[in-house]
Amino acid sequence: MAIEDLHWADPATLELFAYLTPRLAGRRILLLATFRDDELNRAHPATATIAQLMRERTVHRVVLEGLPQPDMRALIETALNGRSLSAAAVLSIARRSEGNPFFAEELLKDSLESAGTRTDPLPFSIQGAVSARLNRLSEEERDVVRMAALFGRSFEAGTLAGIAERNVGDVIPMLERAVDLQMIVESNDAIPLYSFRHALTREAVCSEMLLVKSRSLHSRIAEALEARPDAWRHVDELAYHWWEARETQKSLLYAERAGDAALELWAYRDAKLQFERALDVASDESGRVRLLEKLGDAMNFASEGDRGLHAFEIARALRIKRSEFDDATRLAVRIAAILYERGENSEAIASLAAFLDNLDEHLSPRASAEVLILQAQLSQVSFDSRVVLDLLARISTPPDELDSPMRRAYWQAKIVGEASGGDLTAWKDAIGRLRAELGGTASRLSGNALANIAFTATCLAEPGIAQQCCDEAIAVYEDCRLSALAGWTKALRARHYFLLGKLELARDDLLAALSTGDLFTTRYHLAHTGPLVGIALGDEDLILRCLDHDVELRSRQQPALYALVLASRGAVLAARGDLSGAQAILQDAVDALNGSYGSMLLLPLAARYVDEARLAKVRAIAAASARNPQDRVMIATSHMVEAIAAERHRSLETARSRALIAAQRYRELGWHLLEAHADEVAGDRAAALALYRACGSISDVRRLELGPRSGGGERVSDLLSEREREVALLVARGLTNRQAADKLCVSIKTIEKHVSSIFHKLGFRTRMELVLHIASGGDGYF
């Protein structure tokens, strides 16, 4: 039996509960009742009965805490039911509601009714609920509670009594009445501290006070705080009260101080609010430029890149106007970094080039070096080492003569340039130089450097370096409360785990990254690695969550990235049996491909499905990089590509020998999932199956277990329909899909569907496997 809202029960129902409760022991009866503790007070009719029930041994109390932020956002998204609301509005509602579903729903209704243009004023329903409770106090008590609300969320009775010009002994009974009404709560500290139960409750109480009176009281509160010997501990409160009192100079002073303190504590949203308030009252240009830069930092760290970008652009224009060109350079670099994080890499590079063209003669050598280094870093996404290294070569100042931050940036760019060029020796030397510059620092910059080392280490099959740097970067970001960047690095680490065949660890990192933010770099790594992990684990939900059409569109201007994202979508289509769709997408990927760096997964996949012209391009790219004896990844990849090409061309002995070499090379790299693929192409299904099992690749294990068997039992070909067996025999005779369609008087699409179904049922990847199976007598059927 379940009864809601016991606090509203009539006396007879309460008596029934009191009667039944002690008699339930040993019976198969569950009596479930809910009540709101904020509706109860010492005088409430239900209080005594509920207290009595709590003493019974058959009663268990479950306290429902406020919903955590992820659940609150899920509640809001569900309540939206397909309607549109900006991400900023959703975040504001989740934050203001503090886990209270009622407040969240009311704020959401109000925001939708105002088309998302009004998120700060309280909805009438919340205001009315608080006012109804406030009206149960006397006028004198209401005045004291309203004054308490002006202090903020928490306050001391003594300080409140001083502002209200009353004795503490008179104020405390009034506060106890508010405690009874569940408006405020009292701590058990040595000096009692009172707090409003919810920020929106305090906000609703504040709104009932006349503006003129509240400003005067805020001024008195601020003066009282300033007079305290520990006033420096109350910089946030001073900023708030002087702001509400509209005291311009003191509001500017304390708002900036409070913003600086919030930045040091990584409380970026609090810092943003304080700098915005300071800007509202700042009048001199130098002060405004300084505050705009701080505001841009706070907004950027708070994942509000668009607004941070705007603040930096205004500040940059003011710096140029004031002929402060080196400071303007610093802002130009920040603007480009934000554009990159939004996925607008071409715009970021163009903005730096334009800045350098327009102001180069005014810049110091250090400022010019800063722009060129960032251009080199942003050009890394093209995976063209020549572009990166040429930009670094244009820097007139030797690296050792740059200051420490610039040296770190230089070596970071150098690492990626040498990695994409396949020079392992120079890459390791650059890592050593960068590590020396980082020292023991733990900041966003050191996290970025470590994550970039990890990315290159993954591409170069240096798993020890990749693991260590990923772990260190994640620890740095989490210490700095930069969850979005920690998520980006986890998405990056997932690729490392995938290559090692640690699929469950890869999925854990992908799921963590999915919940941490909306950075383009995070979404790119999710779109590239997530579908591949999902295919291996048979996790369709993970595939759907990681596929990202918007990332594909935004990465078109970055061909190397675009090719890798398309490869993952092509792999999904192939896994679903849509071979023609997979071929079309993979051919687009090969067309976009302009180098081998980072394409260790794309090239073998494309070699299996693309047409002959594009297969030639794939083989040429892999072979060119494999000529570098240091490029162990492309040496293994080239052997794998050649094995697949030979299999397609029915050169079975060549396919086997090259696949065995690829398997050995992958084994040396520690990439066991790719080793299993190579073993399978080499015809060693037992070795492949053992590796797939060790990696946890569920789909591959199922595919091989359903594939051709050597012993008795059920014949695999019995899985095929009569029409599928006809199509299989025609394919085995060498007929193309069109020829088979003409032979059977059906469409090409019909043949393609049959071929896809045959491959899926028999566990084959290529037409050659089907040919060999039938030529060998199959499993006794053909």
Side-chain angles (χ1 to χ4, degrees), residues 10 473 749:
D10 60 3
K749 283 289 184 185

Side-chain angles (χ1 to χ4, degrees), residues 278-293:
L279 268 168
D280 278 347
V281 295
S283 55
D284 68 292
E285 198 173 74
S286 62
R288 289 187 62 79
V289 172
R290 183 182 68 250
L291 289 167
L292 280 165
E293 292 185 15

Side-chain angles (χ1 to χ4, degrees), residues 19 72 108 281 381 415 446 450 497 544 585 641:
Y19 173 81
M72 184 58 71
L108 179 59
V281 295
V381 297
I415 284 169
S446 63
L450 291 165
Y497 283 143
L544 293 175
I585 284 185
V641 166

Side-chain angles (χ1 to χ4, degrees), residues 96-391:
R96 293 180 72 200
S97 57
E98 294 184 352
N100 186 310
F102 167 70
F103 286 161
E105 290 177 354
E106 296 306 311
L107 288 168
L108 179 59
K109 288 177 190 175
D110 190 65
S111 186
L112 288 171
E113 289 169 2
S114 64
T117 59
R118 186 179 72 253
T119 56
D120 289 336
L122 280 177
F124 178 77
S125 54
I126 296 178
Q127 183 72 54
V130 175
S131 296
R133 194 163 295 184
L134 192 63
N135 288 336
R136 292 158 69 179
L137 299 171
S138 69
E139 184 60 40
E140 194 175 22
E141 290 167 340
R142 285 199 294 272
D143 282 344
V144 170
V145 172
R146 287 173 184 139
M147 288 184 191
L150 296 182
F151 277 83
R153 187 71 177 270
S154 303
F155 56 91
E156 295 175 5
T159 308
L160 173 61
I163 299 300
E165 297 179 340
R166 297 173 183 271
N167 295 323
V168 176
D170 295 332
V171 168
I172 289 179
M174 298 179 184
L175 296 177
E176 288 176 350
R177 279 280 292 140
V179 171
D180 286 343
L181 291 174
Q182 298 292 324
M183 298 184 71
I184 62 176
V185 293
E186 180 183 6
S187 70
N188 295 320
D189 299 334
I191 300 176
L193 185 70
Y194 295 87
S195 303
F196 282 87
R197 285 179 65 92
H198 199 286
L200 294 183
T201 301
R202 187 200 72 81
E203 189 177 333
V205 173
C206 274
S207 67
E208 294 205 348
M209 182 169 285
L210 292 175
L211 186 60
V212 174
K213 184 177 180 181
S214 69
R215 285 183 178 177
S216 173
L217 289 171
H218 277 298
S219 183
R220 286 166 58 186
I221 294 170
E223 288 169 353
L225 288 172
E226 273 192 328
R228 294 177 59 153
D230 63 343
W232 60 275
R233 293 181 180 272
H234 300 276
V235 64
D236 284 345
E237 294 97 314
L238 284 164
Y240 166 69
H241 291 300
W242 284 125
W243 166 259
E244 292 291 349
R246 300 300 188 264
E247 289 286 344
T248 301
Q249 291 306 312
K250 289 196 173 183
S251 178
L252 173 61
L253 172 66
Y254 285 109
E256 185 170 5
R257 288 182 181 177
D260 290 339
L263 274 183
E264 289 181 6
L265 294 172
W266 307 312
Y268 303 121
R269 297 192 183 281
D270 292 340
K272 177 177 72 75
L273 173 64
Q274 298 293 357
F275 293 136
E276 285 175 333
R277 288 177 171 175
L279 268 168
D280 278 347
V281 295
S283 55
D284 68 292
E285 198 173 74
S286 62
R288 289 187 62 79
V289 172
R290 183 182 68 250
L291 289 167
L292 280 165
E293 292 185 15
K294 293 180 178 181
L295 176 61
D297 276 335
M299 287 176 166
N300 196 27
F301 291 145
S303 299
E304 295 186 27
D306 287 347
R307 299 182 65 196
L309 179 67
H310 184 59
F312 285 145
E313 286 173 339
I314 297 172
R316 180 183 61 181
L318 288 173
R319 291 290 190 193
I320 293 172
K321 174 187 172 185
R322 294 164 59 84
S323 298
E324 297 167 350
F325 298 113
D326 281 14
D327 289 328
T329 301
R330 180 167 39 83
L331 289 163
V333 165
R334 292 185 185 182
I335 289 167
I338 293 173
L339 289 171
Y340 167 73
E341 289 178 353
R342 285 168 41 173
E344 299 174 14
N345 197 61
S346 297
E347 289 82 350
I349 294 173
S351 73
L352 287 174
F355 180 84
L356 200 58
D357 289 343
N358 294 332
L359 298 173
D360 191 27
E361 62 184 17
H362 300 291
L363 302 182
S364 67
R366 183 200 180 283
S368 295
E370 187 172 6
V371 175
L372 289 167
I373 288 172
L374 184 58
Q375 277 187 285
Q377 289 177 316
L378 297 179
S379 298
Q380 294 166 177
V381 297
S382 67
F383 299 152
D384 189 335
S385 61
R386 290 171 300 176
V387 173
V388 175
L389 298 177
D390 286 350
L391 284 165

